[in-house]
């Protein structure tokens, strides 16, 4: 089975000031199979949203390669690019700001159809919009409503319908439920999973919330300051988190059970901007197990279990077994 | 669900969305001061349209030395007569056409040219933006009235030339207004969403940028018409605009200023005409702003 | 030491009156907070949590917000009857509040030291000298884990988590008896959230402050609270000790639904269990139990009169399902 | 910070080149003949021709432009064709009147407009607010020169309280000050109200109230200081527009200011005066705007940080 999406050494630098470069995405490799979901997790500023926009071609990459269905989309013709664009879509975080306030639900959902001249006549287009509304669970009576007349959950359903309109293969979900209440969040997550089962969709699910991706992802990638620090099948990651950052992230999630945090597992300090970063592990400054090997040269991803990759010096010494820290 | 194949008329009926214009009008109507402005403006527009029916143009320019300085209300001269015995009301009625023409014309042409520059700068950003903005900023350093006056001096004093001068001189301001409005829209997520679903730049401008940016532009334009009328009056007042005997409010003030000591009414009425017109436009603009942006109201 | 609660809210009703509608945000809630206790208000958007907090602080929007009924006793004194000036002296000194977004809740043009100092100066009733207040600013900053040397810096020079620490320092400056924290960590990243929550817990312990913790996140509530009030559409549908809520057997259907809807880290199931339907419109609330249109255990009569109030050892559930149980 | 200011001052140079170009270009289109202007209508045509050659008037436009820029760079703005006085002297003689007029009316505008704007915002939708905004709207709608005429009729002619023209004493300035300040009161009031309304809605205002701060101090210390930025901008722009925009007021009150100098020069086609005066005004305007930007840094530390970072 070939990968539907493959990136190698993908980089995006933003120029800051006169000679500063913000390394938003710094050498990320992705391989994503059709019908699966990759969860991309990290705190604000880790480059996860930038990564999503890079693979969709909404932002030009600084360097690296992106193959979509075997096509090198950074060096292909316009026709192929347009075809890729049609098959890749995005669902945005905030359904309020990502929907034009002056357009009705019908206009919003039909926009991708109109833009891509998907139907010759209005009646067919209307039928497709109705079908989409039915699919995402929007009642027909909302067809002439405006975004501000609806609640967050329904607005996000419009966002999902827009993404599905052109029957895409691959959808980037950029924090699609972060702006929603828990009970509504569950509705949208279920909807996304149903859509995936029905249409064999591939998702890249970007979120800051590890508990959300657990349900939807087959594989999870943890990002820190533009780099992937750990990649693993979903279950394995939760069962056996390897990177100190992943461990810290997991233990920082407040579970709805009584009992306080384990303070010894809490991270010190805060995330900084990766502007002209020095080589070495970017997490070193906050890491409680930071050693001399962690600074000075970059730490590559190593496979410690089949499919479980970690970029940490604790695992580079003895074929996957943690180094004794004492 | 897929078997809904409807005829076009049926579709149109089904997709009859609530008009947002009606919603704006509903909010505008509740604003008393704005309605007063609208009322005055409609009245002035009626005068402009039916000027010839109210009083023939010839009355406004026919000189009669024997009828100089007749006080308001006497001999059928509602606002009195001026130094040449011309009926002031007739001159105000016909002057309205020239004043409004200059005001509206300058704004409309200015918005078209400035809007083009401003939207190009705002939408594309980068070098294009900074070149346009720098140049416009430089032009804005020259005091507006002086720029207008020197252009009028270069072109010669006439109605059309005043209009052209005001239009040119105001392009930077309109470009800035439009650019700000466009920029506030271009940064929005729904523009990125539209790009993501394959909408062309042209369609994005047409369906997303313009509908969302037009509101503040209309508000500013409405108020700018009032300012333009005042400025045009100022130019005529200095004797460099529309030349007598053509009736125009500012020119009337210029002619009357030597007589204001003994005949104050000769300056009062033309000034009131300018002020009321500008006031009506300002009130309307203010009401429109509130009606377009309900967020400010709470 | 008296057994009098620090705060006792009785039958509080708050509404927002606009030109066109009346939004009934809080509809008759009662709860009390003892000394050193933390009470959690948990619920989704529109449940009336923030409105409750603002009503206690008497900071409701002047033009629209109104307390229609009920009493708020702070150590036996009814706050809703205080004059504006008396209330001003209580705010900050006796009750303080932390707001959700640390990015915007500090004044961008004043140094953080000045903003902490301001709180001290307002309530400096016994005329302490300026040097003593300055020393207290340093002390407060170290207390929340920021170097006192940074007090001359402006808010934009601090990160989000640091800003929230400063906000906490301001709130605790006068050692209030009660701290109201309105979603204090929602805007923060999860690792920073954990740091801030631990800090708040430590300070509460040290200073003996009582606290109202407002959150939409049951996890945050579980980590911080002694008592929990689950709010829905302006009502407390379930109220009890943290043990009752997180480990108890009996729950309001909404509480049950809320727990089931959270994506969790342990379970095996892939699908989630959302609550059907949506939060009701506060300007047109349903009759009877406000939750009945979304409730799976709905019975005839749920849409009529106010629901049955079940109570057992301080665990209150406002639901008709418990009528039978109480009868037994 | 100082590096930022120096950089901004250097940016003045290209700007001035463009301004000189625009004004010279417009004036080049204007039909004029300096020879006739200086020697009179009846002078010998050969003499006129000779003088025009001497003045460089017959040179191509770009040569004249280059010469002008070269001289201006050495502090020489040329001589008036009308009376042979150096342009710079003419301007300096007129400047005090214009500045007095500008400073006075701006101050009145600020002293009246700012507090009214604050009150309007704090008491939004009260009769006071509605009255204030309508009042501002009316002030802004009537041409200042007409208001000036009305004031002259009332205070000079009917009541005989104040002089209507000239610059003999401070009393001569009262009517012009009041006249020009009308527009500024309006703009200050509206701008203060708008930005105060925005500031009052900010979270940090709620924080200040939650501290138990007095409402008056919340408004003055927290809201107003944050609302000042746009107010300062408008202040600078008003001042800038005063420098050249009071031609009509100077005409009504017969004040010998820079505005009337330029309008006289435009009428006479006295090109060196027009260009020189316009360039002076444009420079002052830009320097004023720079001053506004520097003021920003003192009001808002975030802006100061940005200046330091980009210099």
């Amino acid at each position: 089975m070939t990968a539907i999406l493959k990136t190698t050494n993908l980089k995006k630098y933003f120029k800051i000031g006169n000679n500063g470069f913000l390394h938003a995405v710094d050498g990320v490799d992705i391989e994503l199979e059709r019908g699966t979901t990759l969860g991309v997790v990290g705190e604000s500023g880790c480059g996860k949203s930038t990564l999503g926009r890079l693979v969709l071609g909404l932002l030009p990459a600084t360097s690296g390669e992106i193959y979509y269905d075997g096509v090198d989309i950074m060096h292909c013709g316009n026709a192929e690019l347009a075809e890729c664009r049609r098959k890749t879509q995005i669902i945005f975080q905030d359904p309020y700001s990502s929907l034009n306030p002056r357009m009705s639900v019908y206009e919003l959902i039909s926009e991708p159809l109109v833009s891509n001249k998907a139907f010759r006549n209005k009646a067919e287009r209307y039928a497709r919009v109705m079908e989409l509304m039915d699919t995402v669970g929007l009642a027909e009576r909302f067809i002439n409503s405006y975004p501000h007349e609806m609640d967050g959950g329904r607005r996000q359903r419009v966002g999902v319908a827009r993404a599905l309109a052109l029957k895409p293969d691959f959808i980037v979900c950029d924090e699609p439920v972060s702006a929603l209440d828990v009970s509504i969040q569950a509705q949208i997550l279920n909807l996304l999973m149903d859509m995936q089962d029905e249409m064999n969709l591939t998702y890249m699910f970007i979120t800051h919330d590890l508990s959300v991706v657990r349900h939807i992802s087959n594989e999870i990638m943890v990002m820190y300051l533009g780099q992937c620090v750990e990649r693993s099948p979903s279950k394995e990651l939760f069962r056996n988190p390897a990177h100190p950052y992943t461990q810290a992230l997991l233990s920082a999630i407040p579970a709805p059970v009584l009992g306080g945090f384990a303070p010894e597992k809490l991270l010190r300090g805060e995330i900084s901007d990766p502007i002209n970063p020095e080589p070495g592990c970017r997490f070193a400054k906050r890491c409680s197990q930071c050693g001399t090997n962690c600074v000075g040269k970059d730490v590559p991803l190593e496979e410690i279990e089949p499919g479980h990759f970690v970029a940490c010096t604790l695992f580079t010494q003895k074929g996957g077994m943690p180094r004794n820290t004492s | 669900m897929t078997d809904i194949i409807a005829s076009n008329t049926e579709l149109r009926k089904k997709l009859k969305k609530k008009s947002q214009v009606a919603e704006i009008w509903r909010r505008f109507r509740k604003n008393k001061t704005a309605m007063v402005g609208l009322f005055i403006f409609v009245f002035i527009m009626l005068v402009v349209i039916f000027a010839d029916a109210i009083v023939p143009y010839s009355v406004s320019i026919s000189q009669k030395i024997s009828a100089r300085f007749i006080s308001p209300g006497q001999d059928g001269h509602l606002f009195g007569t001026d130094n040449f015995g011309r009926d002031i009301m007739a001159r105000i009625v016909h002057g309205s056409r020239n004043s409004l023409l200059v005001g509206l014309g300058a704004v409309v042409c200015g918005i078209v040219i400035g809007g083009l520059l401003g939207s190009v700068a705002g939408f594309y950003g980068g070098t294009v933006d900074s070149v346009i903005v720098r140049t416009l900023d430089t032009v804005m350093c020259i005091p507006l009235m002086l720029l207008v006056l020197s252009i009028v001096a270069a072109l010669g004093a006439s109605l059309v030339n005043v209009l052209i001068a005001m239009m040119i001189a105001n392009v930077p301001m309109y470009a800035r207004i439009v650019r700000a409005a466009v920029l506030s829209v271009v940064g929005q997520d729904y523009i990125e969403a539209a790009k993501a679903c394959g909408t062309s730049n042209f369609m994005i401008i047409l369906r997303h940028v313009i509908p969302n940016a037009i509101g503040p532009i209309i508000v500013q334009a409405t108020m700018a018409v009032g300012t333009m009328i005042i400025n045009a009056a100022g130019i005529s007042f200095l004797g460099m605009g529309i030349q007598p005997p053509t009736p125009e409010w500012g020119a009337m003030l210029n002619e009357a200023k030597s007589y204001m000591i003994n005949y104050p009414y000769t300056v009062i009425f033309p000034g009131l005409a300018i002020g009321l017109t500008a006031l009506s436009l300002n009130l309307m603009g203010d009401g429109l702003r509130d009606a377009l942006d309900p967020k400010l109201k709470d | 030491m008296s057994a009098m609660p620090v705060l006792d809210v009785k039958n509080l009703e708050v509404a927002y009156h606009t030109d066109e509608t009346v939004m009934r945000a809080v509809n008759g809630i009662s709860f009390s907070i003892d000394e050193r206790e933390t009470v959690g208000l948990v619920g989704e958007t529109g449940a009336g949590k923030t409105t409750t907090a603002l009503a206690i602080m008497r900071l409701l929007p002047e033009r629209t917000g109104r307390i229609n009924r009920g009493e708020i006793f702070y150590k036996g004194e009814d706050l809703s009857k205080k004059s504006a000036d008396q209330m001003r002296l209580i705010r900050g000194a006796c009750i303080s509040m932390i707001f959700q977004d640390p990015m915007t809740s500090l004044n961008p043009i004043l140094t953080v030291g000045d903003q902490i100092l301001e709180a001290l100066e307002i309530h400096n009733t016994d005329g302490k000298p300026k040097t003593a207040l300055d020393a207290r600013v340093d002390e407060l900053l170290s207390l929340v884990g920021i170097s006192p040397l940074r007090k001359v810096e402006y808010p934009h020079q601090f990160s989000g988590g640091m800003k929230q620490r400063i906000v906490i320092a301001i709130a605790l400056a006068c050692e209030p008896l009660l701290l109201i924290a309105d979603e204090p960590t929602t805007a923060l990243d999860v690792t920073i959230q954990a740091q801030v929550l631990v800090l708040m817990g430590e300070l509460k312990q040290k200073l003996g402050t009582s606290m109202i913790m407002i959150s939409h996140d049951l996890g945050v509530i579980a980590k911080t609270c002694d008592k929990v009030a689950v709010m829905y559409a302006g009502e407390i549908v379930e109220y009890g000790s943290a043990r009752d809520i997180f480990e108890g057997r009996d729950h309001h259907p909404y509480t049950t639904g809320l727990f089931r809807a959270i994506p969790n880290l342990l379970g095996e199931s892939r699908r989630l269990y959302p609550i059907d339907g949506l939060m009701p419109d506060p300007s047109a609330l349903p009759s009877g139990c406000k939750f009945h249109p979304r409730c799976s255990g709905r019975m005839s009569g749920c849409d009529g009169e106010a629901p049955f109030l079940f109570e057992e050892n301080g665990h209150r559930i406002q639901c008709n399902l418990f009528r039978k149980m109480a009868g037994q | 910070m100082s590096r930022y200011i120096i950089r901004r001052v250097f940016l003045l140079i290209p700007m001035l080149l463009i301004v000189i170009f625009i004004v010279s270009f417009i004036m080049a289109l204007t039909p004029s003949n300096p020879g006739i202007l200086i020697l009179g209508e009846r002078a010998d045509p050969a003499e006129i021709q000779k003088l025009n050659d001497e003045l460089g008037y017959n040179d191509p436009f770009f040569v004249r432009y280059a010469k002008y820029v070269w001289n201006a760079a050495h502090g020489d703005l040329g001589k008036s064709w009308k009376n042979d006085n150096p342009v710079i002297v003419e301007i300096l003689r007129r400047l005090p009147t214009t500045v007095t007029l500008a400073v006075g009316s701006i101050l009145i505008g600020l002293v009246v407009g700012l507090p009214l704007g604050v009150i309007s915002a704090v008491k939004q939708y009260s009769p006071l607010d509605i009255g204030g905004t309508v009042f501002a709207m009316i002030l802004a709608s009537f041409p200042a020169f007409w208001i000036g005429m009305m004031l002259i009729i009332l205070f000079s002619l009917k009541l005989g309280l104040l002089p209507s023209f000239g610059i003999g004493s401070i009393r001569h300035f009262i009517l012009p000050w009041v006249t020009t300040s009308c527009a500024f009161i309006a703009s200050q009031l509206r701008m203060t109200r708008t930005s105060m309304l925005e500031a009052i809605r900010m979270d940090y205002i709620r924080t200040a109230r939650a501290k138990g701060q007095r409402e008056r101090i919340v408004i003055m210390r927290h809201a107003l200081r944050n609302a000042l930025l746009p107010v300062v901008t408008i202040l600078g722009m008003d001042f800038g527009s005063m420098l050249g925009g009071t031609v009509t007021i100077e005409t009504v009150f017969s004040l010998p200011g820079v505005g009337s100098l330029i309008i006289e020069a435009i009428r006479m086609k006295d090109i060196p005066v027009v260009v020189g005066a316009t360039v002076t005004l444009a420079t002052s305007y830009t320097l004023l705007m720079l001053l506004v930007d520097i003021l920003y840094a003192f009001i808002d530390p975030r802006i100061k940080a940005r200046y330091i970072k980009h210099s």
Side-chain angles (χ1 to χ4, degrees), chain A residues 39-57:
Chain A
V40 179
V41 186
E43 293 177 283
S44 46
C46 74
K48 54 191 192 298
S49 284
T50 309
L51 179 66
R53 280 159 181 68
L54 285 179
V55 300
L56 289 180

Side-chain angles (χ1 to χ4, degrees), chain C residues 48-73:
Chain C
K49 308 177 301 259
T50 301
T51 305
T52 307
L54 293 177
I56 296 169
M57 293 292 280
R58 292 262 306 272
L59 283 174
L60 289 166
E62 235 173 275
R63 262 166 43 79
T64 53
R66 217 171 297 160
I67 298 177
N68 286 343
R69 210 155 68 87
E71 289 110 27
I72 303 163
F73 292 103

Side-chain angles (χ1 to χ4, degrees), chain B residues 137-144 146, chain D residues 12 15-20 22-23 91 95 240 243-244 258 262 274-290:
Chain B
D137 276 355
T138 307
V139 179
M140 282 182 95
C141 294
I142 306 171
L144 182 81
L146 298 183
Chain D
L12 262 177
M15 188 220 89
L16 282 178
L17 289 178
I18 299 178
V19 168
I20 296 173
I22 293 172
V23 180
I91 295 168
L95 210 55
L243 290 177
V258 181
I262 297 183
V274 177
V275 179
T278 313
V279 169
T280 314
L281 290 180
T283 314
S284 338
Y285 180 80
T286 326
L287 288 176
L288 214 64
M289 281 331 218
L290 175 61

